[in-house]
Amino acid sequence: MPRQTAPSLPRQRGADEETLRPPAGPVRLALIRRLAELAGLAAALAGIAGLIALLSYSPHDPSFDTVASGPVRNLGGAPGAYYSDAVLQLVGLAGALPSIALLAWAWRLASHRPLSLLWLRLPALVLSAVIGAVLLALLPFPAPAALPAGWGGAAGRLLGPPFLAAGTAIAGAYGRWLMMGWLAILLAALCGLAFGLQRDDWRAAARFGRHTALVTGRGLSWSGRLLHRLFAALRLAHQIVIDQRDEAAARFGRHTALVTGRGLSWSGRLLHRLFAALRRRLIPLVDDDLVREAERGEEAVQQPP
């Protein structure tokens, strides 16, 4: 006969096992939060590295159009030198906008806020860099020697003259400033779209700016008071040293005058006594000679011729 087996019953999970296993929703949410924080940290580090590379740019470092054999002066090393040279040659100082955008995205990611519409924010970021380069190229100030491509780089030199000509045709001598104002408004709108910051973010940034300014002002005020007290203490110590030196000099002068006066008085008395002794010894001899001469004269007078 074939062996009959008992029908298998479905395995039931105990209450303890159900309570120990967390639900899938919170685990997934926590994993997404940690990944967003890591992405925000990476974006912040990339933005800071870009700003450091731009701030430490040197035209003598090796780059795509420069061959240098000396040490790299850029704080970002050779990658920072190549990156800063390429960005500054293309859009000038407007090349700092991508790094600032990375910091803004890092803020949103670290605060667990979604960063959506990247397909729109990336073109807005590129366009804001170009508009910033044109705006910088319209500045009426010459660029320093550290920026061989000018304030706005190649994009500013290429697009700046047409914008300037259009502004001059509209407003004459004030066309430059009119065009700069329009470009500044357009740049602000594009940066707001590219950075992805909302009203709450701008308010938080404003609060942070006010708090930073307050802390900086208090720090400067405290430092000023500390320096004032330090200089006051140094001035008092200097005055005390001068007073003590003057008092010591006065005491030395009085002592020197006293010693000199006493020495002169003692020397005068000594000379007086010396001359008195010589006079007592010499005058009798002189007087005897005079007496003898007088006697001889009298004898000669009494003798007849």
Side-chain angles (χ1 to χ4, degrees), residues 16-43:
D16 296 338
E17 186 177 356
E18 289 291 337
T19 55
L20 291 176
R21 176 174 295 180
V27 174
R28 186 167 177 269
L29 182 59
L31 181 60
I32 291 176
R33 285 177 176 270
R34 300 293 87 78
L35 290 177
E37 292 174 358
L38 290 177
L41 178 61

Side-chain angles (χ1 to χ4, degrees), residues 33-58:
R33 285 177 176 270
R34 300 293 87 78
L35 290 177
E37 292 174 358
L38 290 177
L41 178 61
L45 292 178
I48 294 174
L51 290 177
I52 291 175
L54 291 177
L55 290 175
S56 58
Y57 167 74
S58 176

Side-chain angles (χ1 to χ4, degrees), residues 30-293:
L31 181 60
I32 291 176
R33 285 177 176 270
R34 300 293 87 78
L35 290 177
E37 292 174 358
L38 290 177
L41 178 61
L45 292 178
I48 294 174
L51 290 177
I52 291 175
L54 291 177
L55 290 175
S56 58
Y57 167 74
S58 176
H60 304 289
D61 287 338
S63 60
F64 294 104
D65 57 353
T66 303
V67 178
S69 59
V72 179
R73 299 174 180 84
N74 197 295
L75 296 179
Y82 278 88
Y83 168 78
S84 60
D85 183 77
V87 169
L88 292 177
Q89 291 288 342
L90 287 176
V91 292
L93 293 181
L97 291 177
S99 299
I100 299 175
L102 286 174
L103 294 177
W105 295 350
W107 171 272
R108 290 194 60 84
L109 291 173
S111 59
H112 307 118
R113 299 180 183 181
L115 185 62
S116 58
L117 301 177
L118 282 178
W119 61 271
L120 183 60
R121 302 190 192 281
L122 290 176
L125 179 59
V126 175
L127 187 58
S128 65
V130 175
I131 295 299
V134 177
L135 178 61
L136 291 172
L138 293 180
L139 292 175
F141 313 110
L147 296 174
W151 294 111
R157 288 186 296 180
L158 179 63
L159 301 176
F163 277 87
L164 180 60
T168 304
I170 296 174
Y174 300 98
R176 178 190 298 270
W177 304 104
L178 177 63
M179 191 59 63
M180 289 179 65
W182 287 352
L183 291 175
I185 295 174
L186 180 60
L187 178 62
L190 290 173
C191 288
L193 179 60
F195 294 169
L197 299 178
Q198 298 177 356
R199 184 180 300 176
D200 296 337
D201 298 324
W202 290 110
R203 289 177 179 175
R207 288 195 300 269
F208 178 76
R210 288 196 301 268
H211 181 70
T212 304
L214 181 61
V215 172
T216 304
R218 289 180 178 177
L220 292 176
S221 176
W222 181 82
S223 301
R225 290 196 300 268
L226 180 62
L227 290 176
H228 175 71
R229 293 178 181 178
L230 179 61
F231 282 117
L234 291 176
R235 186 170 61 250
L236 180 60
H238 181 67
Q239 188 64 34
I240 291 174
V241 170
I242 291 177
D243 293 341
Q244 291 180 352
R245 186 177 60 186
D246 294 341
E247 184 179 357
R251 288 199 303 268
F252 177 75
R254 291 194 300 269
H255 181 70
T256 303
L258 181 61
V259 171
T260 304
R262 290 180 178 178
L264 292 176
S265 177
W266 181 80
S267 301
R269 289 197 299 267
L270 179 61
L271 291 175
H272 176 71
R273 293 179 181 178
L274 179 61
F275 283 117
L278 291 175
R279 186 178 55 189
R280 284 195 302 268
R281 292 180 176 275
L282 293 177
I283 288 179
L285 298 177
V286 174
D287 291 341
D288 293 340
D289 293 338
L290 292 175
V291 170
R292 293 192 187 94
E293 289 180 358

